[in-house]
Amino acid sequence: MHLLRAYSALEERFSGALSVHGLSLKEVLLLMHLEREPSGRLTRVALAKRLNVSASTVTRMAQPLEKCCFVSRETDARDARLAFVVLTDAGKEAVTNTRATLQRLSSEVFRDRWTKEDISQLAELLGRLTAGHPGDIS
Amino acid sequence: MHLLRAYSALEERFSGALSVHGLSLKEVLLLMHLEREPSGRLTRVALAKRLNVSASTVTRMAQPLEKCCFVSRETDARDARLAFVVLTDAGKEAVTNTRATLQRLSSEVFRDRWTKEDISQLAELLGRLTAGHPGDIS
DNA sequence: TAATATTACTTGCTCTCGCAATCGTTTCGC
DNA sequence: GCGAAACGATTGCGAGAGCAAGTAATATTA
C-alpha cells in the first residue's frame, strides 16, 4: 500500500524537475520506449500497451512531440493502417539529456540512508511485482 | 523507475476490484485517512496535503461522499473558516469492508512467489522512500 | 481600533485521459 | 474474388483534477 504514497511523492518531485526540458514525465517515458526499440519505432497501439494508456492518449501525446520534431510519422508499405511513431535524432538527444537529469535526481533522492544493496533489492522486488506485464523499462 | 510501472499495473488491478463497493481508490484513501485520525475528522486542506492533491479536489471529492452519508460536515466554533470532513458510522463500515477486499486482493497478488520476508522488506524500503512526507497510511 | 495580510474553502476555466463510435485497411471464410 | 470480421488510428464526449480568482473569516501590525 505504500506504493501509492511512494508513487505520488516521487512523481511530484520528478515531474517538477523534468519541466526544465519542456517535457512531461509521460512524454519522456514514451520516448524511452522508442529508444529501447532496435528499430526506434513503434505503432501507437504497441506504445499504448507499454505505457498502460489508451490508444487515443498515444495519438494525442504524439502530436506535440511531432511538432517539436522529437518523433516523426512513418507508414508501413505493407499495411497502410500502421502509422509508426519514430524517434528522431533530436528525440534521441532529448532522451539522453533527460535521462541524465533523472539520474542526477535519483542520486539526490537516494543520497545517504541508501546503500547499493538497498537500491538493487528494491529494484528487484518491484521488478518481481510487475513480472508478466509488458512495459518494463530500465 | 520501476515504481512507475508497478504503480500503474497495480492501480489498474485494485481500482477495478474496488468498484464493487461503489468507491474509487482515491475516495477510499480519503476515508482511511479520516479513520486514522483519533477525532475521525480533518479539515480539507489537511486532507489535501495527506492525499497529495489540491484543496479543490478535496472539496469535490467530499461532495458525493457526503451524499452517500459516508462523511458529514462539521464547523469549528472557534474558527468559522474550518469545515471539517467527519467520518460517519456508515463511512467506518465502508472502510472496514473495503479494507477486507483490499487485503484479499493483496494476498492474491502476492500469493506464491512471495515470502513474508519479501513483503516486509518491500514495505520497509518503500516506507523509507517516503519518510519525511506527511501522508503515510498503513 | 483599523487596515492589511493570511488562511480555509469554493467556483470557473482549462487540460488530460478513457470510452465509445467512426473510418479506412487488412485478413479470414466461403 | 467477396462479404464479414478484425484491426489501427482518430475524434467527440464526459469525468476528474489543478490553477487562479473570489469570498468569508481570522490574525497581525500600526
Side-chain angles (χ1 to χ4, degrees):
Chain A
M1 310 286 159
H2 295 239
L3 250 183
L4 293 148
R5 182 65 197 161
Y7 169 75
S8 60
L10 284 192
E11 207 251 356
E12 192 182 358
R13 188 148 182 181
F14 280 91
S15 60
L18 284 185
S19 61
V20 178
H21 296 278
L23 291 171
S24 77
L25 188 52
K26 305 217 167 195
E27 288 172 329
V28 173
L29 286 181
L30 188 153
L31 295 178
M32 281 185 173
H33 276 290
L34 289 179
E35 186 198 35
R36 209 157 188 278
E37 217 57 31
S39 57
R41 62 183 208 176
L42 281 170
T43 67
R44 280 153 166 75
V45 291
L47 266 175
K49 280 177 192 154
R50 280 173 172 70
L51 295 169
N52 257 23
V53 298
S54 73
S56 52
T57 302
V58 175
T59 294
R60 287 173 174 127
M61 277 202 296
Q63 284 166 357
L65 290 174
E66 203 165 344
K67 276 212 163 58
C68 297
C69 295
F70 287 163
V71 303
S72 64
R73 170 182 299 246
E74 237 175 61
T75 57
D76 190 320
R78 313 288 292 282
D79 189 340
R81 290 171 305 180
L82 303 179
F84 289 99
V85 182
V86 192
L87 190 62
T88 65
D89 289 341
K92 285 176 196 166
E93 194 185 332
V95 171
T96 304
N97 294 338
T98 308
R99 175 173 288 118
T101 301
L102 281 177
Q103 284 176 347
R104 185 174 49 71
L105 210 56
S106 289
S107 48
E108 275 181 28
V109 170
F110 289 130
R111 118 183 82 81
D112 310 332
R113 295 189 304 152
W114 289 81
T115 69
K116 274 191 179 300
E117 289 75 26
D118 286 340
I119 296 175
S120 62
Q121 203 155 48
L122 178 58
E124 195 272 331
L125 288 170
L126 288 176
R128 185 134 49 106
L129 201 51
T130 62
H133 285 268
D136 271 341
I137 220 171
S138 66
Chain B
M1 310 289 163
H2 294 240
L3 249 184
L4 293 149
R5 182 68 197 159
Y7 170 75
S8 59
L10 283 191
E11 207 252 355
E12 191 184 357
R13 188 147 183 180
F14 281 104
S15 60
L18 283 184
S19 61
V20 178
H21 296 280
L23 291 171
S24 76
L25 188 52
K26 306 219 165 193
E27 288 173 328
V28 173
L29 286 181
L30 188 154
L31 295 177
M32 281 185 173
H33 276 289
L34 289 179
E35 185 197 35
R36 209 158 188 280
E37 218 56 33
S39 58
R41 62 183 206 174
L42 282 170
T43 67
R44 278 153 167 75
V45 290
L47 264 175
K49 280 177 192 156
R50 280 174 173 69
L51 295 170
N52 258 21
V53 298
S54 71
S56 52
T57 301
V58 175
T59 294
R60 288 173 173 125
M61 276 203 296
Q63 285 166 356
L65 290 175
E66 202 164 346
K67 277 213 164 58
C68 297
C69 296
F70 286 163
V71 303
S72 63
R73 171 181 296 247
E74 238 174 60
T75 56
D76 190 319
R78 314 286 293 279
D79 189 339
R81 290 172 304 179
L82 303 179
F84 289 99
V85 181
V86 192
L87 191 63
T88 64
D89 290 340
K92 284 177 196 166
E93 193 184 333
V95 172
T96 303
N97 294 338
T98 308
R99 174 174 290 118
T101 301
L102 282 177
Q103 285 176 347
R104 184 175 48 74
L105 211 54
S106 289
S107 47
E108 276 181 28
V109 171
F110 289 131
R111 120 182 82 83
D112 311 331
R113 294 188 304 151
W114 289 80
T115 69
K116 274 192 179 301
E117 289 75 26
D118 287 339
I119 296 175
S120 62
Q121 203 157 48
L122 179 58
E124 195 273 331
L125 289 170
L126 287 176
R128 186 136 47 107
L129 201 52
T130 62
H133 285 268
D136 271 341
I137 220 172
S138 65

PDB file of all heavy atoms in Angstrom, chain B residues 54-76:
ATOM      1  N   SER B  54      -4.943  18.816  -4.679  1.00  0.00           N
ATOM      2  CA  SER B  54      -5.252  20.213  -4.390  1.00  0.00           C
ATOM      3  C   SER B  54      -6.475  20.306  -3.497  1.00  0.00           C
ATOM      4  O   SER B  54      -7.246  19.356  -3.355  1.00  0.00           O
ATOM      5  CB  SER B  54      -5.512  20.968  -5.683  1.00  0.00           C
ATOM      6  OG  SER B  54      -6.734  20.569  -6.233  1.00  0.00           O
ATOM      7  N   ALA B  55      -6.645  21.473  -2.898  1.00  0.00           N
ATOM      8  CA  ALA B  55      -7.782  21.655  -1.986  1.00  0.00           C
ATOM      9  C   ALA B  55      -9.098  21.553  -2.733  1.00  0.00           C
ATOM     10  O   ALA B  55     -10.079  21.023  -2.202  1.00  0.00           O
ATOM     11  CB  ALA B  55      -7.668  23.004  -1.285  1.00  0.00           C
ATOM     12  N   SER B  56      -9.117  22.043  -3.942  1.00  0.00           N
ATOM     13  CA  SER B  56     -10.373  21.989  -4.678  1.00  0.00           C
ATOM     14  C   SER B  56     -10.777  20.551  -4.963  1.00  0.00           C
ATOM     15  O   SER B  56     -11.965  20.225  -4.965  1.00  0.00           O
ATOM     16  CB  SER B  56     -10.255  22.772  -5.981  1.00  0.00           C
ATOM     17  OG  SER B  56      -9.137  22.361  -6.724  1.00  0.00           O
ATOM     18  N   THR B  57      -9.807  19.713  -5.182  1.00  0.00           N
ATOM     19  CA  THR B  57     -10.122  18.303  -5.416  1.00  0.00           C
ATOM     20  C   THR B  57     -10.775  17.689  -4.191  1.00  0.00           C
ATOM     21  O   THR B  57     -11.744  16.924  -4.308  1.00  0.00           O
ATOM     22  CB  THR B  57      -8.838  17.545  -5.767  1.00  0.00           C
ATOM     23  OG1 THR B  57      -8.260  18.120  -6.925  1.00  0.00           O
ATOM     24  CG2 THR B  57      -9.128  16.088  -6.030  1.00  0.00           C
ATOM     25  N   VAL B  58     -10.273  18.036  -3.018  1.00  0.00           N
ATOM     26  CA  VAL B  58     -10.884  17.501  -1.799  1.00  0.00           C
ATOM     27  C   VAL B  58     -12.322  17.975  -1.683  1.00  0.00           C
ATOM     28  O   VAL B  58     -13.230  17.189  -1.386  1.00  0.00           O
ATOM     29  CB  VAL B  58     -10.069  17.925  -0.564  1.00  0.00           C
ATOM     30  CG1 VAL B  58     -10.771  17.487   0.707  1.00  0.00           C
ATOM     31  CG2 VAL B  58      -8.678  17.324  -0.637  1.00  0.00           C
ATOM     32  N   THR B  59     -12.531  19.246  -1.938  1.00  0.00           N
ATOM     33  CA  THR B  59     -13.901  19.761  -1.883  1.00  0.00           C
ATOM     34  C   THR B  59     -14.810  18.953  -2.787  1.00  0.00           C
ATOM     35  O   THR B  59     -15.905  18.536  -2.400  1.00  0.00           O
ATOM     36  CB  THR B  59     -13.900  21.237  -2.331  1.00  0.00           C
ATOM     37  OG1 THR B  59     -13.173  22.000  -1.383  1.00  0.00           O
ATOM     38  CG2 THR B  59     -15.306  21.768  -2.423  1.00  0.00           C
ATOM     39  N   ARG B  60     -14.338  18.693  -3.993  1.00  0.00           N
ATOM     40  CA  ARG B  60     -15.194  17.985  -4.953  1.00  0.00           C
ATOM     41  C   ARG B  60     -15.321  16.508  -4.613  1.00  0.00           C
ATOM     42  O   ARG B  60     -16.350  15.900  -4.867  1.00  0.00           O
ATOM     43  CB  ARG B  60     -14.632  18.161  -6.357  1.00  0.00           C
ATOM     44  CG  ARG B  60     -14.841  19.564  -6.862  1.00  0.00           C
ATOM     45  CD  ARG B  60     -14.156  19.806  -8.182  1.00  0.00           C
ATOM     46  NE  ARG B  60     -14.510  21.101  -8.717  1.00  0.00           N
ATOM     47  CZ  ARG B  60     -13.648  22.033  -9.059  1.00  0.00           C
ATOM     48  NH1 ARG B  60     -12.362  21.823  -8.930  1.00  0.00           N
ATOM     49  NH2 ARG B  60     -14.061  23.191  -9.544  1.00  0.00           N
ATOM     50  N   MET B  61     -14.292  15.935  -4.042  1.00  0.00           N
ATOM     51  CA  MET B  61     -14.387  14.519  -3.672  1.00  0.00           C
ATOM     52  C   MET B  61     -15.343  14.328  -2.508  1.00  0.00           C
ATOM     53  O   MET B  61     -16.015  13.298  -2.401  1.00  0.00           O
ATOM     54  CB  MET B  61     -13.002  13.984  -3.287  1.00  0.00           C
ATOM     55  CG  MET B  61     -12.155  13.552  -4.462  1.00  0.00           C
ATOM     56  SD  MET B  61     -10.900  12.372  -3.971  1.00  0.00           S
ATOM     57  CE  MET B  61      -9.900  13.362  -2.876  1.00  0.00           C
ATOM     58  N   ALA B  62     -15.381  15.307  -1.620  1.00  0.00           N
ATOM     59  CA  ALA B  62     -16.192  15.143  -0.415  1.00  0.00           C
ATOM     60  C   ALA B  62     -17.682  15.228  -0.725  1.00  0.00           C
ATOM     61  O   ALA B  62     -18.495  14.668   0.005  1.00  0.00           O
ATOM     62  CB  ALA B  62     -15.808  16.206   0.613  1.00  0.00           C
ATOM     63  N   GLN B  63     -18.038  15.900  -1.811  1.00  0.00           N
ATOM     64  CA  GLN B  63     -19.458  16.090  -2.089  1.00  0.00           C
ATOM     65  C   GLN B  63     -20.212  14.770  -2.291  1.00  0.00           C
ATOM     66  O   GLN B  63     -21.220  14.539  -1.603  1.00  0.00           O
ATOM     67  CB  GLN B  63     -19.631  17.028  -3.284  1.00  0.00           C
ATOM     68  CG  GLN B  63     -19.353  18.483  -2.908  1.00  0.00           C
ATOM     69  CD  GLN B  63     -19.195  19.378  -4.115  1.00  0.00           C
ATOM     70  OE1 GLN B  63     -19.216  18.915  -5.252  1.00  0.00           O
ATOM     71  NE2 GLN B  63     -19.035  20.671  -3.871  1.00  0.00           N
ATOM     72  N   PRO B  64     -19.800  13.920  -3.209  1.00  0.00           N
ATOM     73  CA  PRO B  64     -20.541  12.653  -3.337  1.00  0.00           C
ATOM     74  C   PRO B  64     -20.473  11.792  -2.081  1.00  0.00           C
ATOM     75  O   PRO B  64     -21.441  11.102  -1.754  1.00  0.00           O
ATOM     76  CB  PRO B  64     -19.850  11.962  -4.520  1.00  0.00           C
ATOM     77  CG  PRO B  64     -18.586  12.681  -4.726  1.00  0.00           C
ATOM     78  CD  PRO B  64     -18.755  14.053  -4.212  1.00  0.00           C
ATOM     79  N   LEU B  65     -19.348  11.849  -1.365  1.00  0.00           N
ATOM     80  CA  LEU B  65     -19.249  11.058  -0.137  1.00  0.00           C
ATOM     81  C   LEU B  65     -20.241  11.545   0.909  1.00  0.00           C
ATOM     82  O   LEU B  65     -20.775  10.762   1.697  1.00  0.00           O
ATOM     83  CB  LEU B  65     -17.822  11.125   0.415  1.00  0.00           C
ATOM     84  CG  LEU B  65     -16.761  10.389  -0.387  1.00  0.00           C
ATOM     85  CD1 LEU B  65     -15.382  10.634   0.182  1.00  0.00           C
ATOM     86  CD2 LEU B  65     -17.054   8.901  -0.434  1.00  0.00           C
ATOM     87  N   GLU B  66     -20.454  12.854   0.877  1.00  0.00           N
ATOM     88  CA  GLU B  66     -21.419  13.405   1.813  1.00  0.00           C
ATOM     89  C   GLU B  66     -22.833  12.957   1.443  1.00  0.00           C
ATOM     90  O   GLU B  66     -23.650  12.645   2.299  1.00  0.00           O
ATOM     91  CB  GLU B  66     -21.310  14.937   1.786  1.00  0.00           C
ATOM     92  CG  GLU B  66     -21.840  15.612   3.030  1.00  0.00           C
ATOM     93  CD  GLU B  66     -21.350  17.055   3.103  1.00  0.00           C
ATOM     94  OE1 GLU B  66     -20.409  17.417   2.343  1.00  0.00           O
ATOM     95  OE2 GLU B  66     -21.913  17.817   3.894  1.00  0.00           O
ATOM     96  N   LYS B  67     -23.076  12.903   0.147  1.00  0.00           N
ATOM     97  CA  LYS B  67     -24.389  12.432  -0.330  1.00  0.00           C
ATOM     98  C   LYS B  67     -24.615  10.976   0.066  1.00  0.00           C
ATOM     99  O   LYS B  67     -25.736  10.591   0.405  1.00  0.00           O
ATOM    100  CB  LYS B  67     -24.470  12.580  -1.856  1.00  0.00           C
ATOM    101  CG  LYS B  67     -24.851  13.979  -2.302  1.00  0.00           C
ATOM    102  CD  LYS B  67     -25.682  13.905  -3.591  1.00  0.00           C
ATOM    103  CE  LYS B  67     -26.411  15.214  -3.842  1.00  0.00           C
ATOM    104  NZ  LYS B  67     -25.506  16.363  -3.936  1.00  0.00           N
ATOM    105  N   CYS B  68     -23.571  10.181   0.022  1.00  0.00           N
ATOM    106  CA  CYS B  68     -23.674   8.773   0.405  1.00  0.00           C
ATOM    107  C   CYS B  68     -23.697   8.598   1.918  1.00  0.00           C
ATOM    108  O   CYS B  68     -23.780   7.470   2.400  1.00  0.00           O
ATOM    109  CB  CYS B  68     -22.501   7.972  -0.150  1.00  0.00           C
ATOM    110  SG  CYS B  68     -22.429   7.924  -1.938  1.00  0.00           S
ATOM    111  N   CYS B  69     -23.548   9.694   2.653  1.00  0.00           N
ATOM    112  CA  CYS B  69     -23.544   9.653   4.120  1.00  0.00           C
ATOM    113  C   CYS B  69     -22.325   8.921   4.685  1.00  0.00           C
ATOM    114  O   CYS B  69     -22.385   8.374   5.787  1.00  0.00           O
ATOM    115  CB  CYS B  69     -24.829   9.014   4.663  1.00  0.00           C
ATOM    116  SG  CYS B  69     -26.289   9.973   4.274  1.00  0.00           S
ATOM    117  N   PHE B  70     -21.246   8.887   3.925  1.00  0.00           N
ATOM    118  CA  PHE B  70     -20.012   8.306   4.461  1.00  0.00           C
ATOM    119  C   PHE B  70     -19.219   9.348   5.252  1.00  0.00           C
ATOM    120  O   PHE B  70     -18.415   8.998   6.112  1.00  0.00           O
ATOM    121  CB  PHE B  70     -19.141   7.744   3.331  1.00  0.00           C
ATOM    122  CG  PHE B  70     -19.678   6.480   2.762  1.00  0.00           C
ATOM    123  CD1 PHE B  70     -19.243   6.013   1.530  1.00  0.00           C
ATOM    124  CD2 PHE B  70     -20.636   5.733   3.445  1.00  0.00           C
ATOM    125  CE1 PHE B  70     -19.751   4.831   0.999  1.00  0.00           C
ATOM    126  CE2 PHE B  70     -21.152   4.561   2.915  1.00  0.00           C
ATOM    127  CZ  PHE B  70     -20.706   4.112   1.694  1.00  0.00           C
ATOM    128  N   VAL B  71     -19.422  10.597   4.924  1.00  0.00           N
ATOM    129  CA  VAL B  71     -18.815  11.670   5.703  1.00  0.00           C
ATOM    130  C   VAL B  71     -19.883  12.736   5.937  1.00  0.00           C
ATOM    131  O   VAL B  71     -20.889  12.788   5.237  1.00  0.00           O
ATOM    132  CB  VAL B  71     -17.609  12.321   4.983  1.00  0.00           C
ATOM    133  CG1 VAL B  71     -16.558  11.286   4.636  1.00  0.00           C
ATOM    134  CG2 VAL B  71     -18.047  13.069   3.756  1.00  0.00           C
ATOM    135  N   SER B  72     -19.654  13.554   6.958  1.00  0.00           N
ATOM    136  CA  SER B  72     -20.546  14.687   7.178  1.00  0.00           C
ATOM    137  C   SER B  72     -19.699  15.924   7.400  1.00  0.00           C
ATOM    138  O   SER B  72     -18.470  15.842   7.461  1.00  0.00           O
ATOM    139  CB  SER B  72     -21.445  14.428   8.389  1.00  0.00           C
ATOM    140  OG  SER B  72     -20.646  14.321   9.547  1.00  0.00           O
ATOM    141  N   ARG B  73     -20.346  17.053   7.521  1.00  0.00           N
ATOM    142  CA  ARG B  73     -19.634  18.312   7.643  1.00  0.00           C
ATOM    143  C   ARG B  73     -19.813  18.868   9.049  1.00  0.00           C
ATOM    144  O   ARG B  73     -20.918  18.842   9.595  1.00  0.00           O
ATOM    145  CB  ARG B  73     -20.186  19.297   6.606  1.00  0.00           C
ATOM    146  CG  ARG B  73     -19.691  20.719   6.756  1.00  0.00           C
ATOM    147  CD  ARG B  73     -20.318  21.584   5.693  1.00  0.00           C
ATOM    148  NE  ARG B  73     -19.886  21.144   4.378  1.00  0.00           N
ATOM    149  CZ  ARG B  73     -19.109  21.878   3.578  1.00  0.00           C
ATOM    150  NH1 ARG B  73     -18.714  23.064   3.966  1.00  0.00           N
ATOM    151  NH2 ARG B  73     -18.764  21.429   2.404  1.00  0.00           N
ATOM    152  N   GLU B  74     -18.716  19.363   9.604  1.00  0.00           N
ATOM    153  CA  GLU B  74     -18.761  19.930  10.943  1.00  0.00           C
ATOM    154  C   GLU B  74     -17.970  21.227  10.934  1.00  0.00           C
ATOM    155  O   GLU B  74     -16.881  21.275  10.368  1.00  0.00           O
ATOM    156  CB  GLU B  74     -18.110  18.964  11.943  1.00  0.00           C
ATOM    157  CG  GLU B  74     -19.016  18.527  13.057  1.00  0.00           C
ATOM    158  CD  GLU B  74     -18.328  17.475  13.909  1.00  0.00           C
ATOM    159  OE1 GLU B  74     -17.257  17.788  14.465  1.00  0.00           O
ATOM    160  OE2 GLU B  74     -18.846  16.348  14.006  1.00  0.00           O
ATOM    161  N   THR B  75     -18.479  22.238  11.561  1.00  0.00           N
ATOM    162  CA  THR B  75     -17.750  23.500  11.618  1.00  0.00           C
ATOM    163  C   THR B  75     -17.184  23.704  13.007  1.00  0.00           C
ATOM    164  O   THR B  75     -17.703  23.164  13.993  1.00  0.00           O
ATOM    165  CB  THR B  75     -18.668  24.684  11.266  1.00  0.00           C
ATOM    166  OG1 THR B  75     -19.777  24.658  12.158  1.00  0.00           O
ATOM    167  CG2 THR B  75     -19.162  24.570   9.836  1.00  0.00           C
ATOM    168  N   ASP B  76     -16.119  24.485  13.062  1.00  0.00           N
ATOM    169  CA  ASP B  76     -15.460  24.753  14.339  1.00  0.00           C
ATOM    170  C   ASP B  76     -16.096  25.988  14.967  1.00  0.00           C
ATOM    171  O   ASP B  76     -16.324  26.999  14.293  1.00  0.00           O
ATOM    172  CB  ASP B  76     -13.964  24.973  14.083  1.00  0.00           C
ATOM    173  CG  ASP B  76     -13.181  25.006  15.375  1.00  0.00           C
ATOM    174  OD1 ASP B  76     -13.658  25.609  16.359  1.00  0.00           O
ATOM    175  OD2 ASP B  76     -12.088  24.437  15.406  1.00  0.00           O
TER     176      ASP B  76
END
